[in-house]
């Protein structure tokens, strides 16, 4: 499986730093105070990162990995959104002998369809369920593609820059202050760049048969 992964050194530390990076972004979106039910963006981000890492270490090609991620992501987001639906809202479904989880999913799907209908008819819609879905879907793809870019192709900047842009926009428009998350993101992002840059050099040194100490990673990061 290691043949599928670009970086052969520091995989655990790289994974830890990348995971923290996206969790900081998810926590910033939740703490911004846009809506009350945006907490589910954190488990969405965590699941997307785990799946992205597993797919990077697998032998599946890009098409299967992307298509599989889409279906898994939609199902996971829908399941988490269904858990936020209040019991009062699903009473009409329960009266028709529909299971509770199925009723919650139906309710969310109907709200999404109502938004699509409003968009087609060019009418205004301020549905929080649609906003939460869009944010969760955005975070799913940012995190999944970020993990895929780092581990499968070694493109660390492609993982950091899009997430950083989203965080900057969120920091600017957030009703609540989230500057601390931006500082944490920058610090973690810099350390992640240091770690992956060193891993890139270790690959080159091995090809050129240049000797280096096995402890160079910790010494380099400490310095």
């Amino acid at each position: 499986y290691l043949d599928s992964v670009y970086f052969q050194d520091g995989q655990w530390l790289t994974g830890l730093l990348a995971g923290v990076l996206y969790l900081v972004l998810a926590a910033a979106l939740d703490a911004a105070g846009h809506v009350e039910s945006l907490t589910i963006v954190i488990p969405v981000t965590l699941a997307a990162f785990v799946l992205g890492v597993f797919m990077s270490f697998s032998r599946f090609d890009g098409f299967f990995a992307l298509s599989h991620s889409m279906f898994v992501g939609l199902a996971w987001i829908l399941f988490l959104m269904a858990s936020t639906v209040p019991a009062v809202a699903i009473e009409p479904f329960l009266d028709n002998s529909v299971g509770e989880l199925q009723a919650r999913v139906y309710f969310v799907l109907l709200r999404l369809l109502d938004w699509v209908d409003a968009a087609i008819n060019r009418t205004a819609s301020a549905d929080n369920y649609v906003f939460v879905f869009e944010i969760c879907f955005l975070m799913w793809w940012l995190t999944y593609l970020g993990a895929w870019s780092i581990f499968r192709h070694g493109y660390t900047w492609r993982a950091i820059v899009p997430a950083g842009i989203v965080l900057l926009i969120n920091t600017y428009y957030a009703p609540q202050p989230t500057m601390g998350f931006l500082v944490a993101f920058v610090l973690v992002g810099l350390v992640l760049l240091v770690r992956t840059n060193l891993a890139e050099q270790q690959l080159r040194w091995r090809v050129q048969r240049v000797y280096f100490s096995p402890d160079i990673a910790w010494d380099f990061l400490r310095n």
Side-chain angles (χ1 to χ4, degrees):
Y1 66 92
L2 289 178
D3 294 339
S4 302
V5 182
Y6 185 82
F7 296 119
Q8 303 297 310
D9 299 278
Q11 295 169 353
W12 283 101
L13 182 57
T14 300
L16 177 63
L17 291 171
V20 171
L21 188 80
Y22 286 104
L23 287 176
V24 167
L25 174 57
L29 291 171
D30 180 34
H34 298 291
V35 292
E36 295 180 357
S37 56
L38 201 55
T39 306
I40 65 171
V41 74
I42 295 177
V44 166
T45 302
L46 183 60
F49 182 76
V50 171
L51 182 63
V53 172
F54 283 165
M55 281 296 178
S56 299
F57 276 77
S58 71
R59 296 188 182 277
F60 295 117
D61 58 11
F63 175 78
F64 177 84
L66 291 176
S67 58
H68 183 74
S69 172
M70 175 175 291
F71 291 114
V72 173
L74 288 174
W76 180 239
I77 293 171
L78 190 60
F79 173 78
L80 291 175
M81 290 187 64
S83 64
T84 65
V85 177
V88 179
I90 62 173
E91 289 181 355
F93 297 97
L94 297 177
D95 294 338
N96 294 322
S97 301
V98 177
E100 182 177 353
L101 178 60
Q102 188 177 0
R104 293 177 183 274
V105 172
Y106 283 164
F107 178 81
V108 174
L109 290 175
L110 283 176
R111 298 295 287 268
L112 296 177
L113 289 175
D114 289 340
W115 180 84
V116 172
D117 181 69
I120 293 176
N121 295 320
R122 298 183 179 181
T123 58
S125 176
D127 197 330
N128 286 340
Y129 283 95
V130 175
F131 178 79
V132 172
F133 176 81
E134 291 174 346
I135 294 297
C136 288
F137 194 69
L138 171 66
M139 277 304 303
W140 176 274
W141 281 111
L142 274 177
T143 307
Y144 180 85
L145 293 177
W148 178 269
S149 297
I150 292 174
F151 287 98
R152 180 57 71 95
H153 301 291
Y155 298 147
T156 309
W157 279 108
R158 292 188 184 183
I160 293 178
V161 171
I165 293 174
V166 173
L167 183 56
L168 283 174
I169 296 174
N170 177 73
T171 303
Y172 184 79
Y173 289 103
Q176 304 295 331
T178 58
M179 184 59 67
F181 294 99
L182 180 60
V183 174
F185 182 91
V186 171
L187 292 177
V188 175
L190 287 174
V191 178
L192 177 61
L193 286 169
V194 170
R195 173 60 263 191
T196 54
N197 181 67
L198 179 59
E200 181 83 28
Q201 298 304 316
Q202 288 175 289
L203 288 174
R204 183 173 61 85
W205 292 336
R206 284 197 177 91
V207 172
Q208 299 176 356
R209 299 184 181 277
V210 177
Y211 172 79
F212 60 92
S213 172
D215 298 330
I216 190 174
W218 299 109
D219 296 337
F220 196 78
L221 287 172
R222 182 180 67 249
N223 294 333

